[in-house]
Amino acid sequence: MPKLTLNDVEMDVPADWQDQGMITFTLPSPDKNVKPNIIITKERLTKPTTLQEYFERLKQSIQKRGIQDFEVLDERDIIVAGEKAKVMLCTWDVSAMKKALAQQGGMPEEEVKPGQVVKQVQVTVLKGEMAVNLTGSFPDTEFDTYYKPFQMFLKSLKFI
């Protein structure tokens, strides 16, 4: 029987279960209000799709959130774990995101002062019928500090 092992948790997984989902890692930060994080999602694809088609759907879903100051800064092709991948770098103000989510009924509107800018890197790689996304969201002013561990984490990705 396969096992799922996380840092300090392990469980047996029935062989006929499929794993897909999301896990979030928070990176250490001296600021108690800032939670730099990396989110990993794994999705089993139901039909064949190209990397470009899948990536465009993801990008459009982000853009449709209606975050007023959302901006794509860069988008390019890279190689991850020996596979073709796409990377997107984008930015937005946290107050605009909170407002957009509150208007959609996704979360109560909280008082967030404008000017808390997030820079996010999103990496998408397909392997057969599996899509893996790694998304790092960091304070804009400290992006380079947190991007280095993100790159090391990304380099450690292996398909087994």
Side-chain angles (χ1 to χ4, degrees), residues 131-143:
V132 176
N133 295 288
L134 289 93
T135 305
S137 300
F138 314 123
D140 180 50
T141 57
E142 298 177 56
F143 181 81

Side-chain angles (χ1 to χ4, degrees), residues 22-27 35-42 54-55 58-59 62 65 70 86-90 92 118-125 132-138 143 146-147 150-151 153-154:
M22 172 175 38
I23 187 165
T24 302
F25 293 98
T26 54
L27 284 69
K35 296 292 182 204
N37 64 73
I38 298 172
I39 298 173
I40 302 151
T41 60
K42 178 181 176 184
Y54 185 85
F55 186 77
L58 284 178
K59 186 168 77 170
I62 295 168
R65 291 181 188 160
F70 174 81
K86 299 285 287 182
V87 64
M88 176 175 66
L89 186 63
C90 54
W92 67 83
V118 168
K119 192 180 275 187
Q120 183 180 77
V121 57
Q122 169 132 8
V123 177
T124 301
V125 60
V132 176
N133 295 288
L134 289 93
T135 305
S137 300
F138 314 123
F143 181 81
Y146 293 108
Y147 186 58
F150 176 85
Q151 288 176 304
F153 190 63
L154 183 62

Side-chain angles (χ1 to χ4, degrees), residues 16-74:
D16 60 344
W17 287 13
Q18 283 193 345
D19 57 334
Q20 61 181 4
M22 172 175 38
I23 187 165
T24 302
F25 293 98
T26 54
L27 284 69
S29 171
D31 186 336
K32 293 180 182 178
N33 297 317
V34 174
K35 296 292 182 204
N37 64 73
I38 298 172
I39 298 173
I40 302 151
T41 60
K42 178 181 176 184
E43 178 183 356
R44 300 284 179 176
L45 303 173
T46 58
K47 61 181 180 176
T49 187
T50 68
L51 175 62
Q52 186 64 38
E53 290 169 335
Y54 185 85
F55 186 77
E56 282 301 317
R57 279 198 315 264
L58 284 178
K59 186 168 77 170
Q60 288 174 11
S61 73
I62 295 168
Q63 291 170 327
K64 287 179 182 176
R65 291 181 188 160
I67 304 168
Q68 288 180 344
D69 63 347
F70 174 81
E71 179 183 359
V72 175
L73 303 173
D74 190 19

